[in-house]
Structures are given as C-alpha cells and as structure tokens.
Amino acid sequence: MSAASLTQGAHAALMMCDPTRKVAATRALQTAWDAGRAVAGEEAAAVPVPVPGRPARPRLVPPRVLPKRGLGSREGRAALIHALCHIEFNAINLGLDAVYRFRGLPPAYYGDWLRVAAEEALHFELLQAHLASLGYAYGDFDAHDGLWEMACETAHDVVARMALVPRVLEARGLDVTPGLMERLAAAGDARAVEILTIILRDEKGHVAVGSRWYRYACAARGLEPGATFKALIARHMKGRLKGPFHWEARREAGFSDDEMTFLEGLDA
C-alpha cells in the first residue's frame, strides 16, 4: 500500500453507505496499519464531509420528536438497542474521520483512532445481531444526527474535536450505561447487559484516547487544557452539560478532579 493509503483508505471507509462494507473496510485498514502497509503521509487538506456514508435508513429526525419507550416490551427494548446501534455506527464514522481529517500528528494518534474505529465496528455488530434476535434491523426506528453535527462543527480544529466529541458527547455513555444495564437486567435481557459490559469497558479507553490527544494538541499550541475545555464548552455547548456524571469511569478516562468539579457545576 502506498504512503497515501491511510488517508485514502480512511476516507473511502468513511464514505461507504453499507454498514457491512464499512465495518470490513475499517478492520482492513487497521490491519494494514498494524502490519506497516499503510502510512500517514502529508497530503492536501481534508475535504468537508457534511454527510458521511450511511444507509438510507434510519430516518434522521430531531431528538425531541423521538418517542419515549419503556423496556417492558420487546419493541421497547429493540428501540433502545437500535438507538445504541445508531450511536456505534456514528462512532465508526467519527473514528475514521479523526484519522482522515487531521494531518501531521504522531503515528500513535492514527493507530489509536484506527483501533477506536475498529472497536466501534465490533460494538455495532454485537448490537445489530442482538437487534436481529429481537426481530428488528438497523433502520427500523428513527434516530437523530447529533454526533455527526458536532463532528462538522469541530472539523476545523483537532483541539475542539478531541475536547467535544470523545470528552463530551461520547463520554456521556460512561455516565448513562450503568443505569441502562440495570434497566435491561430488570427487563430480563441478559445478552444486552453482556454487550453493554463490553462497550462500557472499551468506551473508557476511547474517551481516554480523546483525553490524551486533547492534551497533546493543547500542548502543541501552548494552550492550558482546563481553561480551553471550559471555553469550548461555553462556546459549543452553551455552557451546560447534563449530569449526573460517573466520576470513577471519567477519572479512568483521563478527567481531572478539577474538570469533574467544573462539570458538576454545569449541571447545577
């Protein structure tokens, strides 16, 4: 593979609409990188990706119009698994875009985000298979596009991307997943609990990757990470984040006590 293939491969996988092909391409790219057959070269700037590759369904709607469903029925559980499946599909795209979009970073950066994308692909497959066992398929329920909207909003700046996508939006999964596991266990869905146990373990590592490269990018520009994080949340999140926050998981993922105190204050 040529020196240009990492960037080209990441963009090609990012723009694939079929989930099965996207998953396979993501894994193949990570394998090529690990084997030394893909190289991060200095190329022209990345092009905007307002819409990444994704299937025609699910239909994307504003979050406020998505119906609330309980977990007492098969349909209700399927709707929750579908929502998680959609998050993981978006997370594959986010990992690929982190590889494609930001140039001139250390090789470890690209290796980290390729691994993240491949793990998100596994999560998607696990959830998709469980959804099928409930009699549904990815695309059968409506979904929203909040994760990719933030990807577009931060496409100009690796500092903003690392701060706001892994450390804000994806970190929310660290807060809510334990509660979801309890609810699914109470509903008798042991398989869903098993899958979420895997996802929670991996997502701590994914948010930690965001923390690591956020601090690297801040240091490269002479920015103070704490003050920059606060300024970015004020600018992009209107200065508010919803709690409660899972302190232990967030500490494992690279949040400082000062950052956690700051986040708690936003939820007051």
Side-chain angles (χ1 to χ4, degrees):
M1 300 178 77
S2 68
S5 61
L6 177 69
T7 297
Q8 293 173 355
H11 185 262
L14 175 64
M15 300 310 294
M16 288 177 183
C17 296
D18 178 75
T20 301
R21 291 186 63 226
K22 187 185 294 285
V23 165
T26 299
R27 287 199 177 117
L29 188 61
Q30 188 202 19
T31 298
W33 173 264
D34 289 345
R37 298 195 307 270
V39 180
E42 294 293 334
E43 301 178 57
V47 300
V49 181
V51 180
R54 55 195 180 198
R57 298 172 64 237
R59 185 180 66 144
L60 300 179
V61 300
R64 65 180 181 277
V65 306
L66 291 171
K68 304 290 185 183
R69 294 182 173 95
L71 300 184
S73 67
R74 178 182 290 262
E75 182 184 30
R77 283 188 289 122
L80 173 60
I81 299 303
H82 186 278
L84 297 173
C85 201
H86 182 66
I87 289 170
E88 298 299 330
F89 182 81
N90 273 280
I92 302 170
N93 282 337
L94 290 167
L96 292 168
D97 191 71
V99 172
Y100 167 67
R101 183 152 309 284
F102 302 111
R103 311 294 169 82
L105 290 157
Y109 168 90
Y110 301 104
D112 276 349
W113 283 108
L114 283 170
R115 175 178 56 81
V116 168
E119 289 179 352
E120 305 290 19
L122 171 63
H123 300 166
F124 173 79
E125 284 186 319
L126 292 172
L127 289 164
Q128 185 181 45
H130 188 50
L131 188 61
S133 77
L134 297 173
Y136 294 87
Y138 179 52
D140 284 352
F141 298 90
D142 291 345
H144 69 80
D145 201 28
L147 276 173
W148 194 256
E149 288 171 358
M150 183 58 77
C152 292
E153 197 170 328
T154 58
H156 65 291
D157 184 5
V158 69
V159 170
R161 172 67 66 83
M162 295 296 111
L164 297 172
V165 173
R167 303 192 84 231
V168 173
L169 298 187
E170 293 189 82
R172 189 65 186 139
L174 304 183
D175 305 325
V176 304
T177 299
L180 291 178
M181 292 167 65
E182 291 179 4
R183 292 172 59 204
L184 287 162
D189 196 334
R191 180 54 181 157
V193 175
E194 291 175 357
I195 294 169
L196 288 184
T197 300
I198 294 168
I199 290 175
L200 180 59
R201 177 200 69 199
D202 291 348
E203 292 298 340
K204 290 177 187 177
H206 299 176
V207 178
V209 166
S211 294
R212 178 160 59 252
W213 292 109
Y214 168 68
R215 293 198 171 95
Y216 173 91
C218 283
R221 295 189 197 173
L223 301 173
E224 199 286 310
T228 303
F229 188 54
K230 293 175 184 178
L232 287 167
I233 288 177
R235 185 181 313 146
H236 294 274
M237 309 299 296
K238 299 183 173 61
R240 286 193 60 81
L241 288 177
K242 184 179 180 181
F245 302 102
H246 190 327
W247 277 66
E248 180 182 353
R250 281 179 177 260
R251 280 198 186 99
E252 289 180 34
F255 282 81
S256 68
D257 286 349
D258 285 346
E259 286 175 323
M260 290 306 306
T261 301
F262 165 65
L263 293 176
E264 293 282 2
L266 295 179
D267 189 48

